Amino acid sequence: FHQACSPFIQAARCYARPVRRKRKEIPSHLDDLPPTMIKKDYANVPIIDSVDDVVKRLLSLEMASQKEKMKIKIQQLVEKVRRSPSDNGSFEVQVAILTAKIRTYEEHLQRHPKDKSNRRRMLMAIDRRRKLLAYLRRVRFDTFENTCKQLNIQYSPPPAYSRRITKRWLVKKAFCLKVFQEAQKLKAPERLKQRRERQERARAAREEAARCEG
């Protein structure tokens, strides 16, 4: 037997249900792309301006996927730092591509902080970009500065390596020095013998040369 509950009890049950939290809107680095921009694969087609508005809308970024938008964003970043129109593999271009990927990973991890696989990929991309920037900073500093400025990257050099001095480390160092000194003492007679043999051979060679001249 099922007894229908009163409207007051039903209202109380609905009121007691947990309220779903609204997802926080996370700004994306792809928001500056206008929705009317044509996709990369169709931007250079000659008849794109004469097609119907519905078709143009389907080929625009309004209906594009994340992958299509990433292509446009990478192309924009590469255009800022490339050396020439045919430059597709310089260090600056690689830094631009990695920057776009890193920012995409950061946005994804803000929504899904437990995604360890993409976090590992992001850390690998950051490490790769840091090495490329360190090389540019060492070899072509003006290019390094321009790349960081155009891509809005804040580069901080790694800290100098410093080892913590402990009692165990001091004892180990003293022991290694003692072993090295004892090894040098054992090798001293052999080295003295080899040096005397070289001197004897050099003296014999000089005497032979003087005899031949005489």
Side-chain angles (χ1 to χ4, degrees):
F1 178 73
H2 177 71
Q3 184 179 2
C5 60
S6 65
F8 299 102
I9 297 177
Q10 185 68 22
R13 286 179 178 175
C14 295
Y15 181 78
R17 289 176 183 174
V19 180
R20 292 184 179 180
R21 294 183 179 180
K22 293 184 178 180
R23 288 188 176 183
K24 184 179 178 181
E25 292 294 334
I26 300 174
S28 174
H29 70 115
L30 303 176
D31 292 339
D32 59 342
L33 297 176
T36 56
M37 182 181 290
I38 304 299
K39 298 178 183 180
K40 181 181 178 182
D41 298 335
Y42 305 99
N44 298 324
V45 178
I47 61 173
I48 194 66
D49 296 329
S50 60
V51 297
D52 189 67
D53 293 339
V54 178
V55 178
K56 189 179 292 186
R57 186 180 177 186
L58 291 173
L59 299 179
S60 65
L61 295 185
E62 184 181 357
M63 303 292 181
S65 61
Q66 182 83 1
K67 187 177 180 180
E68 294 287 345
K69 294 180 180 179
M70 273 293 296
K71 289 181 180 179
I72 299 293
K73 175 56 67 174
I74 289 175
Q75 185 181 15
Q76 289 182 352
L77 295 181
V78 167
E79 290 293 338
K80 292 181 179 180
V81 297
R82 70 187 344 172
R83 303 176 187 177
S84 63
S86 60
D87 179 19
N88 295 319
S90 63
F91 288 97
E92 305 94 292
V93 172
Q94 296 181 47
V95 169
I97 296 173
L98 289 172
T99 300
K101 292 181 179 180
I102 289 169
R103 290 171 182 171
T104 303
Y105 286 137
E106 289 175 347
E107 295 169 8
H108 175 79
L109 290 172
Q110 288 180 2
R111 298 185 181 90
H112 310 281
K114 296 184 179 180
D115 191 348
K116 296 182 180 179
S117 178
N118 280 313
R119 184 178 298 277
R120 183 174 65 253
R121 294 190 182 97
M122 183 188 70
L123 294 176
M124 291 171 63
I126 291 175
D127 184 64
R128 174 64 179 164
R129 186 181 69 174
R130 186 185 298 116
K131 291 179 180 178
L132 293 173
L133 288 175
Y135 177 81
L136 280 176
R137 185 172 181 263
R138 187 173 65 253
V139 177
R140 303 178 61 183
F141 190 77
D142 54 342
T143 306
F144 162 79
E145 282 189 329
N146 181 62
T147 302
C148 292
K149 181 180 179 181
Q150 295 294 334
L151 301 179
N152 195 18
I153 299 175
Q154 294 182 355
Y155 175 81
S156 56
Y161 175 77
S162 60
R163 187 184 185 118
R164 182 184 175 187
I165 299 178
T166 59
K167 185 177 180 180
R168 180 179 180 182
W169 182 81
L170 291 174
V171 172
K172 183 178 179 180
K173 182 178 180 181
F175 177 74
C176 292
L177 288 175
K178 186 176 181 180
V179 170
F180 177 75
Q181 292 171 359
E182 293 296 330
Q184 292 296 105
K185 289 180 181 179
L186 294 176
K187 294 179 181 179
E190 184 66 24
R191 290 181 177 176
L192 180 61
K193 181 180 178 181
Q194 293 177 358
R195 185 164 60 250
R196 288 178 177 176
E197 290 178 354
R198 288 196 299 269
Q199 292 175 356
E200 289 293 335
R201 288 196 297 268
R203 187 183 300 110
R206 288 196 298 271
E207 293 177 354
E208 184 68 22
R211 190 181 303 111
C212 291
E213 290 178 358

